[in-house]
Amino acid sequence: MKEVKTQRSRSYHEYLISSLKDPERAAGYMGVMLELDEEGFEPELLRSALKDVVDAREQMNNLSEEAKKRFEKLDKMLLETKAAELQSLIEFLDALGFRLAIVAKD
């Protein structure tokens, strides 16, 4: 993957992680990864987005051991199943005219 630089010479990934420290942005970022596009749902993009949010929380020292363990379990499950159940749910909701949304708790 080509590294993209921002105006302050920080890598795009560093900028992204920094922006994901904001709960509203993190929720929006993960929500976008749940949406269907012309090619369908991309479980690898969701896994990557979840990892980015976890990285941001770790940088803030705001990730509990429980959350870390749950992320590891979820990540393993998404890798093994290619998120088949989640993809079916997203496609079903889409057929009904709905979509999943992620919002910050406050």
Side-chain angles (χ1 to χ4, degrees):
M1 177 177 198
K2 184 178 177 182
E3 189 170 7
V4 178
K5 299 284 182 177
T6 63
Q7 292 178 354
R8 295 186 177 153
S9 299
R10 296 189 317 174
S11 74
Y12 173 74
H13 190 259
E14 289 171 341
Y15 167 78
L16 175 64
I17 298 303
S18 177
S19 72
L20 294 176
K21 292 176 182 178
D22 177 312
E24 297 286 327
R25 287 185 181 209
Y29 180 63
M30 290 184 291
V32 166
M33 299 306 172
L34 287 173
E35 293 180 4
L36 293 174
D37 61 19
E38 302 82 41
E39 298 172 13
F41 170 69
E42 294 290 333
E44 287 302 314
L45 292 177
L46 177 61
R47 286 186 63 231
S48 178
L50 295 174
K51 175 70 170 117
D52 290 340
V53 172
V54 166
D55 289 348
R57 290 288 179 104
E58 284 181 325
Q59 282 188 10
M60 296 170 36
N61 293 320
N62 188 14
L63 185 70
S64 68
E65 282 301 313
E66 179 183 352
K68 189 173 184 177
K69 287 178 185 177
R70 288 181 185 263
F71 166 71
E72 290 168 357
K73 182 178 178 181
L74 177 62
D75 188 57
K76 181 179 177 185
M77 185 174 50
L78 291 173
L79 180 63
E80 290 174 356
T81 66
K82 302 272 191 241
E85 296 88 352
L86 185 54
Q87 182 169 358
S88 292
L89 175 61
I90 291 168
E91 290 171 349
F92 171 67
L93 292 173
D94 185 62
L96 292 175
F98 297 104
R99 66 182 169 127
L100 290 176
I102 298 176
V103 296
K105 283 173 104 174
D106 287 328

